[in-house]
Amino acid sequence: MIMKKNLKLFLAVFFIGLNLQIFSQSIDDIPEEIAEQIEGQLLERVENNNLEVSQPEIIVDVNPSGILTKNKRFGFDFFNSNLDQSSSSFDIPLQADYQISFGDKLELLLIGSQNKNYKLDVDLSGNIFVPEIGKISVKDLTLDQAEKKVSEIIEKAYIGVESFLTVTDAALKKVSVIGAVKRPGTFIVNPFISLSESLKYAEGLLDEASIRTLIVRDFKGNKKEYDLYDFLIFGDRQSDVNLRNGDTVIVQSTSSFISISGEVHRPYEYEYLESDTYKSLIDFAQAVSYTHLTLPTKA
C-alpha cells in the first residue's frame, strides 16, 4: 500500500489523455477496491518512469491531520489595501505614452527665430490655445503624439523654430469601481492610476470576484476585457492598463475556482477560464516534477 490507513489521499489534478478533469476527493469516500486500484496504478506509474517524468500526471497531497487546508485565492491579497487618495505621489516623471487629459497643465517652449515659453491649459474639449496659432486639439493623444502634432503646426507657422511640449501638472482623474469589490464607488485618483491600483481604492475584492474578466468601460460606452493573471503571474504590464479620466472598472463575479495543492510551490485557489488547459493551471501553481515527488513509506 502506498499510504498508511490513517492518512487521506487527495487527487488534486489527474491527466486522462487530452480530456482532463479536476477533482478533490477523500479516500474515505472511495470504495476500498477502487482505492486499491488507484494506489496500485499510481505506484506502477511512478516506478515505470523511475521518478523521472518531467510533467506530473497526479498531484498527491498527503495530510496527516486528515484535513485539506483551504487555500486562499491567488492574487487577492495584492488588492487588499486602502489607498489614501490624498497621499499619492505626483513626482513621477511622465513617460511619452502618458495620455493627456482635460485639466492638465502644459508648457510649450519655442526656440529659434521665436524664443517664447507658453503656459497652456487643456480645456474640457481637449484643446490647448497657443497665442498667434490658435486652438490645437490634443484630445486622446499621448504626450509623444501631442508634441509631434504641435511641432508640425509650429514649423508651418514659423521658419527655423523648434518646439518642446511638456506636462507640468497632471490633473487628477475620476474613475469608478463597481461590482464584486468591498467598497464600490467613484474615486478621485492620481493621474498614473492603473487597473490593478484602482481595485485597491475599492479596498479589495469579494470572495466571488473575478480578476480574469475585468471590464474597463470609458465614458463613451466602449469597453474592453482584461485578464490580470497576465500581470500577476507573468509580469505582463500590458494587461494592467493605465485608466483614463471617466473610466469605470467592472469587477464581475465567478464561481470558477479550483484548489491546487500537494507537490506545488504555490498552493492556492486559482480562477480558471474555459480556454485554460490543465498544463496552464499546473504552471500557475508552479508544480514540481516526479523527480521531486516524495511518497510516504509503504505500510
Side-chain angles (χ1 to χ4, degrees), residues 263-291:
E263 293 297 323
V264 295
H265 291 298
R266 192 161 57 193
Y268 278 99
E269 289 183 357
Y270 291 88
E271 181 182 350
Y272 62 90
L273 305 177
E274 291 184 1
S275 58
D276 285 332
T277 64
Y278 270 73
K279 183 181 183 304
S280 62
L281 292 175
I282 292 176
D283 289 343
F284 290 165
Q286 296 184 336
V288 298
S289 68
Y290 271 141
T291 55

Side-chain angles (χ1 to χ4, degrees), residues 84-277:
D84 183 354
Q85 300 176 41
S86 63
S87 64
S88 300
S89 173
F90 301 102
D91 296 328
I92 305 172
L94 288 174
Q95 302 298 314
D97 61 352
Y98 171 78
Q99 193 163 41
I100 295 175
S101 177
F102 62 83
D104 285 349
K105 296 184 180 299
L106 311 182
E107 182 177 88
L108 177 62
L109 177 63
L110 304 183
I111 298 177
S113 60
Q114 298 284 332
N115 291 289
K116 297 180 179 179
N117 190 8
Y118 297 115
K119 305 293 184 181
L120 310 173
D121 293 330
V122 182
D123 64 24
L124 295 179
S125 299
N127 298 319
I128 55 175
F129 180 80
V130 181
E132 302 178 7
I133 299 294
K135 287 187 176 182
I136 300 176
S137 176
V138 293
K139 182 180 179 182
D140 298 331
L141 297 182
T142 65
L143 177 57
D144 184 54
Q145 292 170 336
E147 184 172 30
K148 289 179 180 178
K149 181 176 181 178
V150 171
S151 178
E152 291 175 355
I153 294 174
I154 295 296
E155 287 178 359
K156 293 178 180 179
Y158 302 110
I159 298 175
V161 175
E162 288 187 278
S163 64
F164 302 91
L165 186 69
T166 58
V167 178
T168 58
D169 188 6
L172 295 174
K173 294 180 180 179
K174 183 170 71 173
V175 300
S176 299
V177 183
I178 61 175
V181 292
K182 294 179 180 178
R183 188 168 72 95
T186 298
F187 308 97
I188 303 299
V189 299
N190 74 67
F192 317 101
I193 186 73
S194 69
L195 176 57
S196 64
E197 290 171 334
S198 70
L199 302 181
K200 297 180 182 181
Y201 279 93
E203 298 184 6
L205 306 168
L206 299 180
D207 287 343
E208 68 273 16
S210 168
I211 56 177
R212 302 197 63 189
T213 59
L214 289 165
I215 294 175
V216 176
R217 186 166 189 160
D218 65 21
F219 69 96
K220 295 180 180 179
N222 302 313
K223 60 183 181 180
K224 190 171 182 180
E225 188 171 286
Y226 296 93
D227 182 352
L228 278 186
Y229 268 26
D230 292 337
F231 166 58
L232 294 172
I233 294 178
F234 305 109
D236 184 358
R237 296 292 309 194
Q238 290 185 352
S239 63
D240 190 25
V241 295
N242 287 329
L243 299 181
R244 299 169 55 187
N245 204 10
D247 280 350
T248 297
V249 177
I250 304 172
V251 183
Q252 302 185 98
S253 297
T254 183
S255 59
S256 299
F257 293 98
I258 179 66
S259 178
I260 302 180
S261 60
E263 293 297 323
V264 295
H265 291 298
R266 192 161 57 193
Y268 278 99
E269 289 183 357
Y270 291 88
E271 181 182 350
Y272 62 90
L273 305 177
E274 291 184 1
S275 58
D276 285 332
T277 64

